[in-house]
Coordinates of all heavy atoms in Angstrom, one line a residue:
T1 N 98.2 11.7 150.9 CA 99.3 12.1 151.8 C 98.9 11.7 153.2 O 97.9 11.0 153.4 CB 99.5 13.7 151.7 OG1 98.3 14.3 152.4 CG2 99.6 14.1 150.3
R2 N 99.7 12.1 154.1 CA 99.4 11.7 155.5 C 98.2 12.4 156.0 O 97.5 11.8 156.9 CB 100.6 12.0 156.4 CG 101.8 11.0 156.3 CD 102.9 11.2 157.2 NE 102.6 11.1 158.6 CZ 103.0 11.8 159.5 NH1 103.9 12.7 159.4 NH2 102.6 11.6 160.8
M3 N 97.9 13.6 155.5 CA 96.8 14.3 156.1 C 95.5 14.3 155.2 O 94.4 14.5 155.7 CB 97.2 15.8 156.3 CG 98.4 16.0 157.1 SD 98.0 15.5 158.9 CE 97.0 16.9 159.3
H4 N 95.7 14.2 153.9 CA 94.7 14.3 153.0 C 94.6 13.3 151.8 O 95.7 12.7 151.5 CB 94.6 15.8 152.3 CG 94.4 16.9 153.2 ND1 95.4 17.6 153.8 CD2 93.2 17.3 153.8 CE1 94.9 18.4 154.6 NE2 93.6 18.3 154.6
E5 N 93.5 13.1 151.3 CA 93.3 12.2 150.1 C 92.5 12.9 149.1 O 91.5 13.6 149.4 CB 92.7 10.9 150.5 CG 92.4 9.9 149.4 CD 91.9 8.6 149.9 OE1 90.9 8.6 150.6 OE2 92.5 7.6 149.6
V6 N 93.0 12.9 147.9 CA 92.3 13.6 146.8 C 91.7 12.5 145.8 O 92.6 11.7 145.3 CB 93.1 14.7 146.0 CG1 92.4 15.3 144.9 CG2 93.7 15.7 147.0
I7 N 90.5 12.5 145.6 CA 89.9 11.6 144.6 C 89.3 12.3 143.5 O 88.5 13.3 143.6 CB 88.9 10.7 145.3 CG1 89.5 10.0 146.5 CG2 88.2 9.7 144.3 CD1 88.5 9.2 147.4
I8 N 89.7 11.9 142.2 CA 89.3 12.7 141.1 C 88.6 11.6 140.2 O 89.2 10.6 139.8 CB 90.4 13.2 140.3 CG1 91.2 14.3 141.2 CG2 89.9 14.0 139.1 CD1 92.5 14.7 140.7
T9 N 87.3 11.9 139.8 CA 86.5 11.0 139.0 C 86.0 11.8 137.8 O 85.0 12.5 137.9 CB 85.4 10.4 139.7 OG1 84.5 11.4 140.3 CG2 85.8 9.4 140.9
P10 N 86.7 11.7 136.6 CA 86.2 12.4 135.3 C 85.2 11.5 134.6 O 85.4 10.2 134.7 CB 87.5 12.6 134.6 CG 88.4 11.4 135.0 CD 88.0 11.1 136.5
D11 N 84.3 12.1 133.9 CA 83.5 11.4 132.9 C 83.4 12.3 131.7 O 84.1 13.3 131.7 CB 82.3 10.8 133.5 CG 81.1 11.9 133.7 OD1 81.3 13.1 133.2 OD2 80.1 11.6 134.3
A12 N 82.6 12.0 130.8 CA 82.5 12.8 129.5 C 82.0 14.2 129.7 O 82.3 15.1 128.9 CB 81.7 12.0 128.5
K13 N 81.2 14.4 130.8 CA 80.5 15.7 131.0 C 81.1 16.5 132.2 O 81.2 17.7 132.1 CB 79.0 15.5 131.2 CG 78.4 14.8 130.0 CD 77.9 15.8 129.0 CE 77.1 15.1 127.9 NZ 76.4 15.9 127.1
I14 N 81.3 15.8 133.3 CA 81.8 16.6 134.5 C 83.0 15.7 135.1 O 83.2 14.6 134.8 CB 80.6 16.7 135.6 CG1 80.2 15.4 136.0 CG2 79.5 17.6 135.0 CD1 79.3 15.5 137.3
T15 N 83.7 16.5 136.0 CA 84.7 15.9 136.8 C 84.5 16.2 138.2 O 84.2 17.5 138.5 CB 86.1 16.4 136.3 OG1 86.3 15.9 135.0 CG2 87.2 15.8 137.2
I16 N 84.6 15.3 139.1 CA 84.3 15.5 140.5 C 85.7 15.4 141.2 O 86.4 14.3 141.1 CB 83.4 14.6 141.2 CG1 82.0 14.7 140.4 CG2 83.2 14.9 142.6 CD1 81.1 13.5 140.6
L17 N 86.2 16.4 142.0 CA 87.4 16.4 142.7 C 87.0 16.5 144.1 O 86.3 17.4 144.6 CB 88.3 17.5 142.3 CG 89.6 17.6 142.9 CD1 90.7 18.2 142.0 CD2 89.7 18.4 144.2
V18 N 87.4 15.5 145.0 CA 87.0 15.5 146.4 C 88.3 15.5 147.2 O 89.2 14.7 146.9 CB 86.2 14.2 146.8 CG1 85.9 14.2 148.2 CG2 85.0 14.2 146.0
V19 N 88.4 16.4 148.2 CA 89.6 16.4 149.1 C 89.0 15.9 150.5 O 87.9 16.4 151.0 CB 90.1 17.8 149.4 CG1 91.2 17.8 150.4 CG2 90.6 18.4 148.0
Q20 N 89.6 14.9 151.1 CA 89.0 14.4 152.3 C 90.2 14.1 153.3 O 91.4 14.0 152.9 CB 88.2 13.1 152.1 CG 88.9 11.9 151.5 CD 88.0 10.8 151.2 OE1 86.8 10.9 151.3 NE2 88.6 9.7 150.9
N21 N 89.7 14.0 154.6 CA 90.7 13.8 155.6 C 91.1 12.3 155.5 O 90.3 11.5 155.4 CB 90.0 14.0 157.0 CG 90.9 13.9 158.1 OD1 91.8 13.1 158.1 ND2 90.6 14.6 159.2
A22 N 92.5 12.1 155.6 CA 93.0 10.8 155.4 C 93.6 10.2 156.7 O 94.3 9.3 156.6 CB 94.0 10.8 154.2
K23 N 93.4 10.9 157.8 CA 93.9 10.4 159.0 C 93.3 9.1 159.4 O 92.1 9.0 159.6 CB 93.8 11.4 160.2 CG 94.8 12.5 160.0 CD 94.9 13.2 161.4 CE 96.0 14.2 161.3 NZ 96.2 14.8 162.6
D24 N 94.1 8.0 159.5 CA 93.6 6.8 159.9 C 94.2 6.4 161.2 O 95.4 6.6 161.5 CB 93.9 5.7 158.9 CG 93.2 5.8 157.6 OD1 92.1 6.1 157.7 OD2 93.8 5.6 156.5

């Protein structure tokens, strides 16, 4: 979005969800 970026990386055992500032 204009304010945030969500990156989700799943694998067979765990999933990592990261919310980061997306202001460029």
Side-chain angles (χ1 to χ4, degrees):
T1 68
R2 287 183 61 211
M3 300 294 286
H4 294 96
E5 181 173 55
V6 178
I7 300 171
I8 302 168
T9 55
D11 73 13
K13 301 269 183 166
I14 64 171
T15 296
I16 304 167
L17 183 147
V18 177
V19 179
Q20 61 186 13
N21 184 327
K23 283 195 168 186
D24 292 323

